[in-house]
Amino acid sequence: MCCGERSLPGTMSEPVLNRVSVIVGGYGSGKTEVAINLSLYKRAKSDPDTSVELIDLDIVSPYFRSRDQLLQLKACGVAVVAPEGSLRSADLPALPAVVGGSILRRDNQVIIDVGGDPAGATALGRYSGDIKLEPVDVLMVINPYRPHTRTALDVLNLLNLIEQKSRLRTTAFVNNANLMGLTEIAHLERGQRLLGELYAQTGIPAGFISCMPSLVPRVNALWPQNAVLPLRLTMHPPWRDA
Amino acid sequence: MSERVLMKGNEAIAEAAIQAGCRFFFGYPITPQNELPEYMSRRMPQVEGTFLQAESEVAAINMVYGAAGAGARVMTSSSSPGISLKQEGISYLAGAELPAVIVNIVRGGPGLGSIQPSQGAYFQAVKGGGHGDYRLLVLAPANLQEAVDLVTEAFDLADLYRNPVLILGDGLLGQMMEPVEFRKLPSRELPPKTWATTGMRHHPHKNIINSLVLDAPGLEKHILHLQEKYARMNLHEQRAKSLHCADAEVVIVAYGSTARIAKTAVMSLRQSGLKVGLFRPVTLWPFPVNTLSELVPKVKAFLTVEMNAGQMVEDVKLAVNGARPVHFYGRMGGMVPTPEEISSECVRVLGGVR
């Protein structure tokens, strides 16, 4: 697979193919949960000496960002690269210089959690030149239960805009169909159908399925050819009942 | 759209407005409510409505005045500092008796404050904000389905009373996601808008929308008419939800997202055998005095919990009227109370009443 071109048809054998994983998608598609869990997955699969770095590029939404889990992730061996000090709780278009360094180092594993929609992907465009220097996974997270990604046409519109702004080609879609705690297999089935239509129209393959750990055995039985990323949810509301 | 969708609070409020027939939205960006105008900018063209990003909050609220005067269903939204800028226009809407729905997704203050959640705009929402003797109907949802349902109803209530209705949320409610359903609520009999400025084809006289009444007896008469209307709103619209209040020794009073955190505290205290209940005002104005004062003889003490330095607690004290102690616990500036903090505050109050 070469950067800048569509990857080959088929599915990903595991959620990670390359050193750099870029997570894009619509607002509220589940990018941050996928990015955090992918970071933990990369941590588990990597050499203990290899640094695993989660870059929080979200400068468009002020709440529920990777940086909110900074200490918990650090304890798990994942470094969070994000604005520091009082800039941490701001929504200013400013990013620390270490982001570029983290991408250019070749001895680490990198996960980039991008802000939602084309607006969020604009920040990614600034790093596209550095990112394109080697093969990368650009994963677009899809939840057909979100208002602006319900149909293949919706997703194609969003895909085009995100690719324009980020100046990066999407290499796979992630089926993150969910209604949070109410999610059932039927919802993931709708996600699979949508990803099938998208593959037919774009040649971009279905990458992996992300879902609650309780659904994993049935997902494996139904779609054995798909890699699965079990999501241990980290973004909880303060009342913790969700 | 009757199936469940996963939405952010800001998006859910916007879609609910569209489904309620809102066809005009005027706004100006401010975090943490930006998803609301952004959603409107996508959806309004699809329903042949008008989305307009005004040059300022002041302009936006006066565009609301214009659209409401012409009888249209219209909404604006902002967050704390932006709502402060709109206060003059809100007072004009109230004075001219124009129906409109205003959304405040509150952030930390005073001043520019922070972009984190807060309930520091309670006083502004229920005790005026702008100048003059006026009231807004203030609705405070605690979850996204309730936000959807209350927004749908807010347009009816605004039309019914010819009065602006304020939806008071906070950054948490605006930013969080939950599955919601857009369902048809029972429709109300609403008076025809015979006062709207729709031209003289429909009536022989001129309709004029105005809040200027220069002669003092005339203005006093108008204010008395408004007061009579607010008395009717107070009589018919008080709403609250109670949980485990029947046998409670201590009742927590909290609204919006703070009430959800308090609910978690109540459930865990109940598991430890402590008699604690939750009283959640859904209307902040009119404040649900009637149902709250019914609790007074049964309860030993009240604990008000808010994300501010103590605002609603004043209305709780007025309702309790000195008959029981009213305690307060608050976090400020974007800090959110935890269920554990509320629980230990409750235990402290319980210790005092035994």
Side-chain angles (χ1 to χ4, degrees):
Chain A
M1 183 177 69
C2 177
C3 51
E5 285 176 22
R6 304 290 192 198
S7 60
L8 294 171
T11 56
M12 293 165 81
S13 56
E14 57 167 330
V16 170
L17 297 177
N18 291 296
R19 182 183 72 89
V20 176
S21 308
V22 183
I23 318 294
V24 297
Y27 284 137
S29 54
K31 294 176 301 300
T32 295
E33 292 289 6
V34 168
I36 287 175
N37 282 277
L38 203 59
S39 303
L40 296 169
Y41 180 92
K42 278 192 161 180
R43 176 72 278 165
K45 294 275 172 180
S46 303
D47 192 283
D49 297 331
T50 304
S51 171
V52 176
E53 293 159 20
L54 170 56
I55 300 174
D56 182 353
L57 273 195
D58 190 347
I59 53 170
V60 288
S61 73
Y63 293 34
F64 304 112
R65 299 185 285 199
S66 286
R67 63 191 73 167
D68 300 337
Q69 301 301 317
L70 194 119
L71 293 176
Q72 291 87 329
L73 284 164
K74 195 176 172 191
C76 297
V78 174
V80 178
V81 180
E84 290 182 5
S86 60
L87 284 179
R88 181 171 299 158
S89 48
D91 55 352
L92 293 171
L95 287 159
V98 288
V99 169
S102 181
I103 293 166
L104 286 169
R105 277 173 62 183
R106 292 298 169 92
D107 58 349
N108 58 355
Q109 289 287 333
V110 176
I111 304 89
I112 307 181
D113 181 13
V114 182
D117 279 11
T122 306
L124 181 62
R126 180 248 175 271
Y127 300 102
S128 60
D130 295 340
I131 293 171
K132 279 182 205 167
L133 293 173
E134 62 183 308
V136 291
D137 300 333
V138 181
L139 308 168
M140 182 167 169
V141 179
I142 308 288
N143 179 3
Y145 292 90
R146 290 282 295 143
H148 301 303
T149 49
R150 296 161 74 88
T151 64
L153 188 63
D154 292 340
V155 176
L156 289 177
N157 286 335
L158 186 65
L159 172 78
N160 285 335
L161 290 169
I162 287 179
E163 289 195 339
Q164 276 172 28
K165 293 290 181 188
S166 66
R167 287 172 257 156
L168 289 171
R169 290 286 201 181
T170 298
T171 61
F173 291 113
V174 174
N175 177 2
N176 189 43
N178 78 89
L179 282 174
M180 297 175 76
L182 304 177
T183 310
E184 294 168 9
I185 284 290
H187 300 123
L188 287 165
E189 273 170 358
R190 176 165 160 189
Q192 290 296 86
R193 280 197 302 276
L194 178 61
L195 265 56
E197 278 178 58
L198 288 167
Y199 172 64
Q201 294 188 39
T202 64
I204 303 175
F208 58 86
I209 298 170
S210 50
C211 63
M212 308 291 282
S214 58
L215 291 174
V216 170
R218 291 199 58 202
V219 167
N220 279 330
L222 278 166
W223 302 291
Q225 75 282 11
N226 273 93
V228 182
L229 181 71
L231 294 180
R232 194 172 57 84
L233 297 186
T234 53
M235 297 284 153
H236 297 295
W239 43 90
R240 299 188 209 115
D241 64 2
Chain B
M1 216 194 281
S2 62
E3 62 159 357
R4 280 207 174 95
V5 271
L6 187 60
M7 291 185 105
K8 274 194 172 197
N10 288 327
E11 300 166 340
I13 289 170
E15 181 61 36
I18 298 225
Q19 306 255 340
C22 173
R23 289 296 177 270
F24 292 86
F25 181 92
F26 307 106
Y28 188 81
I30 183 169
T31 307
Q33 61 84 56
N34 284 327
E35 295 82 359
L36 206 166
E38 191 168 2
Y39 189 92
M40 285 296 197
S41 72
R42 289 191 195 197
R43 280 288 278 138
M44 277 299 185
Q46 294 172 359
V47 294
E48 296 181 355
T50 298
F51 165 85
L52 200 149
Q53 181 170 317
E55 67 268 38
S56 71
E57 286 87 349
V58 178
I61 194 72
N62 285 292
M63 291 172 186
V64 169
Y65 185 98
R73 285 201 155 179
V74 53
M75 177 184 258
T76 187
S77 68
S78 193
S79 177
S80 309
I83 293 288
S84 293
L85 283 164
K86 288 183 205 274
Q87 289 304 327
E88 182 201 40
I90 292 173
S91 169
Y92 277 50
L93 285 165
E97 292 194 86
L98 291 178
V101 178
I102 301 149
V103 182
N104 186 359
I105 300 298
V106 182
R107 62 188 245 175
L112 265 181
S114 74
I115 61 174
Q116 306 303 320
S118 162
Q119 294 181 322
Y122 179 89
F123 281 156
Q124 185 190 54
V126 307
K127 311 232 183 250
H131 58 281
D133 279 312
Y134 78 91
R135 294 289 188 181
L136 301 178
L137 223 143
V138 183
L139 308 174
N143 61 63
L144 299 197
Q145 187 62 55
E146 191 178 45
V148 164
D149 296 345
L150 286 178
V151 167
T152 311
E153 229 189 319
F155 282 94
D156 281 358
L157 290 168
D159 283 347
L160 184 64
Y161 291 104
R162 278 190 67 181
N163 206 71
V165 176
L166 180 74
I167 304 286
L168 194 70
D170 62 61
L172 258 176
L173 210 71
Q175 294 291 324
M176 63 170 294
M177 294 176 65
E178 264 176 344
V180 293
E181 219 178 327
F182 296 90
R183 49 197 176 197
K184 272 260 171 279
L185 296 178
S187 56
R188 289 170 188 254
E189 188 95 10
L190 295 172
K193 295 183 174 178
T194 51
W195 45 265
T197 52
T198 50
M200 287 179 68
R201 264 169 306 176
H202 311 294
H203 38 72
H205 57 280
K206 255 190 222 167
N207 276 348
I208 296 173
I209 304 292
N210 192 12
S211 68
L212 177 71
V213 188
L214 283 175
D215 74 303
L219 181 54
E220 188 181 52
K221 195 175 154 215
H222 179 57
I223 296 169
L224 286 171
H225 157 72
L226 293 179
Q227 293 301 315
E228 181 276 324
K229 179 172 81 174
Y230 302 146
R232 269 191 290 128
M233 287 157 69
N234 191 31
L235 186 67
H236 297 298
E237 302 303 336
Q238 289 188 20
R239 289 184 213 182
K241 298 248 163 97
S242 300
L243 175 76
H244 292 312
C245 283
D247 64 339
E249 293 182 359
V250 170
V251 165
I252 301 176
V253 186
Y255 72 92
S257 45
T258 307
R260 276 180 95 160
I261 307 170
K263 183 181 167 188
T264 306
V266 166
M267 299 316 273
S268 90
L269 290 168
R270 280 272 160 183
Q271 279 188 347
S272 329
L274 298 174
K275 289 185 174 172
V276 177
L278 173 65
F279 182 84
R280 173 167 77 84
V282 176
T283 53
L284 300 180
W285 200 92
F287 193 73
V289 176
N290 300 343
T291 34
L292 184 61
S293 47
E294 278 168 24
L295 291 176
V296 172
K298 306 178 196 162
V299 169
K300 290 181 178 163
F302 293 89
L303 169 65
T304 308
V305 184
E306 299 175 67
M307 285 193 283
N308 58 42
Q311 301 194 11
M312 181 180 70
V313 65
E314 292 188 2
D315 285 332
V316 177
K317 282 181 176 168
L318 281 172
V320 174
N321 202 16
R324 294 288 181 276
V326 177
H327 302 265
F328 174 73
Y329 181 73
R331 296 298 305 267
M332 285 141 281
M335 296 304 289
V336 178
T338 64
E340 291 75 22
E341 282 168 38
I342 298 175
S343 292
S344 52
E345 219 31 53
C346 237
V347 169
R348 207 176 55 78
V349 170
L350 267 167
V353 298
R354 273 179 179 160

